[in-house]
Amino acid sequence: MPVSVHSVIATNLATTVVSLSSNWFHRNVSRRRIFSSSVKCSVETTEADRWVKLKNGNDSLEICRVLNGMWQTSGGWGRIDRNDAVDAMLRHADAGLSTFDMADHYGPAEDLYGIFINRVRRERPPEYLEKIKGLTKWVPPPIKMTSSYVRQNIDISRKRMDVAALDMLQFHWWDYANDGYLDALKHLTDLKEEGKIKTVALTNFDTERLQKILENGIPVVSNQVQHSIVDMRPQQRMAQLCELTGVKLITYGTVMGGLLSEKFLDTNLTIPFAGPRLNTPSLQKYKRMVDAWGGWNLFQGLLRTMKSISTKHGVSIPTVAVRYVLDQQGVAGSMIGVRLGLAEHIQDANAIFSLVLDEEDVNSIQEVTKKGKDLLQVIGDCGDEYRRI
């Protein structure tokens, strides 16, 4: 049910003291009128929850709510054959999974997209091409952000992806002490006005900096953040700001690199060689999140609960994991990593759209997760894991 800005403000004012540990929120109550007038995004869902339209003013982009994450093409998950990878991208798109997420530093990801999009142009009808979306990221070093430097780097991605305009450019910044990120985003907005970028977005920004960016009149439509059943940090400070402004969340790490799957159910990783190997960068990364949250024993309890739910609905554990996060406040889409040409989970991904978790399912999951630690207190806000020395 839609919630009015006024009701959200009232709720936030009532819960400020217990929900936020700093005076950041207090400083911003008086500024909310800025959001309702100058920066207001919205989201529309169509075709039985498969598609979502991100909007901010005149900017809009329709994406599939389950995105194909291409970090796995960067080398740590096995050797990717170019032709096999592009064939796999076509199979995903043919199955309705037509949004691809990549970055300038994900190995050959942007180049693979360029080859793929050309095959789509040659082998598929024009209306098919309209559904294909390529979202990329720019992750520069925190140096002086001049217009020419920004333009040069965006042109590289446009050339690699073989598109006149990037569907979405998601911007990351390493060092908040250097406010050059505002300069970069203003230059990116200029490029959007020139038609070289369709929508500007963020990745791994925290709530305070997201608000600062919006107050500077930069029309971002989304923020890509880590979000899973284990890592519910985005549902705290970030979700409040998203509710007020309409900025949406695109989530990654939603199946925790594969930890949230049948493969790791009833395993004991403390015994060497007794269970599946943590042999990819994503498995190693999200195992550290499990340790910070509550440890492997508690995680096994979560997997058993999710297995019971998945059996009840005739789906897999990863399908339940993604559906749970898609149902959270502010979430427009969730990422599933694709090992193009090496493994496919198209059927599981498509099952997400028809899965409906009932109250019993949600309560049973929350009964386990409430036993874990609050990762906002352990790690910090969204993206803080990348900025702690």
Side-chain angles (χ1 to χ4, degrees), residues 271-314:
I271 303 175
F273 310 110
R277 291 186 300 157
L278 302 178
N279 58 354
T280 68
S282 52
L283 285 173
Q284 294 160 11
K285 172 182 178 178
Y286 295 113
K287 173 56 164 59
R288 292 192 292 272
M289 288 293 163
V290 169
D291 294 340
W293 172 69
W296 196 249
N297 287 338
L298 181 58
F299 187 70
Q300 285 298 309
L302 176 61
L303 283 179
R304 287 190 289 271
T305 296
M306 294 179 69
K307 179 59 178 176
S308 176
I309 295 170
S310 69
T311 300
K312 168 183 168 182
H313 293 282

Side-chain angles (χ1 to χ4, degrees), residues 13 27 43 46 83 106 137 141-142 179 221 242 262 276 285 305 374:
L13 285 172
R27 295 199 311 269
V43 62
T46 59
N83 294 329
Y106 287 1
K137 306 179 191 73
D179 63 2
V221 298
C242 287
E262 285 80 1
K285 172 182 178 178
T305 296
D374 179 358

Side-chain angles (χ1 to χ4, degrees), residues 337-366:
V338 288
R339 300 176 64 186
L340 299 171
L342 299 177
E344 286 187 7
H345 304 284
I346 291 174
Q347 184 174 350
D348 284 348
N350 267 326
I352 294 165
F353 300 112
S354 57
L355 174 61
V356 178
L357 298 177
D358 59 34
E359 185 177 358
E360 179 184 28
D361 300 330
V362 173
N363 288 341
S364 63
I365 289 172
Q366 292 178 348

Side-chain angles (χ1 to χ4, degrees), residues 232 324 328 361-371:
M232 296 292 288
Y324 185 88
Q328 299 302 308
D361 300 330
V362 173
N363 288 341
S364 63
I365 289 172
Q366 292 178 348
E367 190 67 27
V368 180
T369 57
K370 71 181 182 181
K371 299 174 183 177

